Amino acid sequence: MDVFEPVEHPTAVFFHLFFRSAALFTYLFCTWFSSNFVLNFIVIIMLVSFDFWTVKNVSGRLLVGLRWWNKVNDDGTSEWMFESKKSAPHPREAKIFWWSLYLFPLAWCLLAIPAFLKLSAYVLVVAVALSLNAANLIGYSKCDKDARAKLTNMAGQFGQSLLTQALSSVASAALSSATGAKPTAPAP
């Protein structure tokens, strides 16, 4: 695969990677520019929030054709809802989406270790970033699993329909040859 191969949704790919990278970069280097924890906290949390919203509502839908949300029913139970496009996503966009979906939470996990060991206040930032990244990771993993199950079920039903139609045609031909009547074409 060519590195410079064009993608179908370059703006979605850009913002999918921009907010994730910007949040991580800001976390790593924020103390070089400001020693004000509150300012750093607000900037990083905003970037992580923009990332969460962008991945959940825009890039997931455009890059891999998946969408998820969680609905709370009247009785207080939580229900996962999934949507998926029937067409296959662009292979390059899908790789970018899935790799970044797994790598950035891993990066935040690795950054949590020194923040926790130092008992730094930045452990709060990492916890929020990790929880939002994990929510998207879990949501899209479940959504992808649901889409694959629906596709498998649909393929099974289509195969079953073809088999039933073929058996009906064979049975009709066998009966008509035994009775001497002309076979009729099966209904579509």
Side-chain angles (χ1 to χ4, degrees):
M1 179 181 344
D2 185 14
V3 173
F4 299 107
E5 176 189 341
V7 292
E8 289 180 20
H9 305 96
T11 306
V13 170
F14 172 77
F15 283 107
H16 177 74
L17 296 174
F18 173 75
F19 288 126
R20 300 185 145 241
S21 302
L24 206 56
F25 179 83
T26 304
Y27 174 80
L28 291 171
F29 301 109
C30 66
T31 56
W32 288 10
F33 303 107
S34 173
S35 60
N36 185 345
F37 172 75
V38 174
L39 177 65
N40 294 337
F41 180 87
I42 290 170
V43 170
I44 296 167
I45 296 303
M46 285 183 66
L47 288 169
V48 169
S49 300
F50 292 157
D51 167 57
F52 175 79
W53 185 88
T54 302
V55 171
K56 184 178 177 307
N57 296 310
V58 180
S59 61
R61 188 172 44 85
L62 293 176
L63 303 183
V64 290
L66 300 173
R67 192 166 159 238
W68 68 270
W69 67 96
N70 196 299
K71 181 174 108 176
V72 178
N73 297 323
D74 292 334
D75 62 356
T77 59
S78 181
E79 182 180 358
W80 288 86
M81 307 296 288
F82 306 112
E83 285 181 2
S84 58
K85 267 202 293 192
K86 293 184 179 23
S87 61
H90 187 276
R92 179 133 190 244
E93 290 179 348
K95 280 186 181 179
I96 291 168
F97 179 84
W98 289 110
W99 274 98
S100 67
L101 197 68
Y102 282 96
L103 288 178
F104 279 88
L106 179 64
W108 285 110
C109 280
L110 293 174
L111 291 171
I113 295 168
F116 184 74
L117 291 176
K118 290 182 196 175
L119 297 175
S120 166
Y122 283 95
V123 77
L124 296 171
V125 174
V126 175
V128 171
L130 194 52
S131 64
L132 291 177
N133 275 265
N136 266 333
L137 178 61
I138 292 167
Y140 278 109
S141 295
K142 286 184 174 199
C143 191
D144 186 50
K145 184 178 177 182
D146 181 70
R148 290 177 193 268
K150 284 180 183 174
L151 186 62
T152 303
N153 187 28
M154 193 168 54
Q157 286 177 347
F158 180 71
Q160 186 179 17
S161 170
L162 285 177
L163 182 62
T164 303
Q165 198 172 35
L167 289 175
S168 173
S169 178
V170 168
S172 174
L175 279 173
S176 52
S177 68
T179 60
K182 287 188 174 184
T184 59

